[in-house]
Amino acid sequence: MTMRVLLTGSTGYIGASVLNCLVSSGHRVTAFVRSAKEAESVRSKDVEPAIADLSDRDVLGELASASDGVIHVALPGDETSATADEVAVTSFLIALRNTDRPFVHTTAVWVHGNGMAITESTAMNAPRLTAWRVPLARLVRSTRGVRTSVIAPAVVYGHGGGLLNLVAKGPRTTGNTPALVMVGTGDQHWSTVHVDDLAKLYVLALERAPAGSYFLGAGGENPTVRKITEAVSCSIGLGGRVEAEPVAKTLDRLGPLGEALLLDQQASGDTARRRLGWSPQGPPIFDDIARTDF
């Protein structure tokens, strides 16, 4: 069934892929954007823009009320993120209450902390970077009268975007044969997902997920940071050479993000496959790295 969907973050890395997936699935989209430039970008895709700010409760509520469903992936990405997300989420939930319309929210697999077999039922042990997401996701899932679902993306890659760029732009050692410095020792695993596969999961959740659902957006690959960094090192002309970084230096260099990236995580995303029919088909991470111009 075709829906009028309000999408936040429609010009961001993940949101742009969700937008394309919504359009290709036949949905009509109102794209929440922050500027006239962003409005023109989405209008070129035959999408209706709405210029506003995530702090504007009234506008958020009006846009949600006029929609058949909402997908929320926008985030400022700075110290205002927790406040902005709380304002947006509460505004959407109020606007959609007692309608049974879908609301798809975003958290992150990092909220589960370290784990070798992370599932949706794994206890939360969030690092500082994502700790504020835990109570907000619980609020979303517990709200009655709205068909809520929460997606927890793994480390997202594809089309030259995502955190692989942070790896590629990491420090180099000096000398005639420089090596790419890893995030920490490189022994930790990262759960990963291709951005287009993740976008399909958001759309499936919008269309099919029961109220209160929670899905890990993990494509099934869980390589070590060492293997990822070696592949990136080859891609940028350093011959696969890498060097470990003391944890204290990683934390000093990257702050709270470094704390999250030092987590050792493996997750499968099997619940979304079983319950929603999600079938990740994007290129494997190492194939993607090999053809990316960082």
Side-chain angles (χ1 to χ4, degrees), residues 235-250:
S235 183
I236 63 176
L238 295 183
R241 295 183 298 276
V242 300
E243 184 168 303
E245 181 176 52
V247 167
K249 284 192 175 182
T250 294

Side-chain angles (χ1 to χ4, degrees), residues 19 38 58 114 116 151 161 166 171 181 193 208 237-238 267 274 284:
L19 176 61
E38 289 183 346
D58 291 339
N114 291 309
M116 294 299 97
I151 307 295
L166 181 145
V181 175
V193 63
R208 306 180 187 178
L238 295 183
R274 292 195 313 269

Side-chain angles (χ1 to χ4, degrees), residues 34-56:
R34 294 172 296 179
S35 67
K37 182 178 180 181
E38 289 183 346
E40 284 304 309
S41 173
V42 300
R43 194 176 283 117
S44 66
K45 300 180 180 181
D46 198 27
V47 168
E48 178 184 341
I51 302 176
D53 190 271
L54 281 176
S55 64
D56 195 329

Side-chain angles (χ1 to χ4, degrees), residues 157-201:
Y157 70 91
H159 305 303
L163 285 170
L164 294 184
N165 284 283
L166 181 145
V167 175
K169 294 174 182 176
R172 272 77 160 165
T173 60
T174 58
N176 294 329
T177 55
L180 184 59
V181 175
M182 296 182 288
V183 175
T185 65
D187 295 328
Q188 74 273 32
H189 296 79
W190 285 354
S191 292
T192 62
V193 63
H194 192 278
V195 66
D196 291 341
D197 289 329
L198 181 62
K200 292 173 186 174
L201 178 55

Side-chain angles (χ1 to χ4, degrees), residues 109-145:
V109 73
W110 288 333
V111 299
H112 291 285
N114 291 309
M116 294 299 97
I118 295 173
T119 69
E120 286 77 3
S121 61
T122 299
M124 303 286 183
N125 186 22
R128 288 177 298 159
L129 186 72
T130 58
W132 57 270
R133 287 186 177 275
V134 175
L136 201 55
R138 287 175 179 155
L139 170 66
V140 171
R141 296 182 65 198
S142 65
T143 298
R144 304 305 177 198

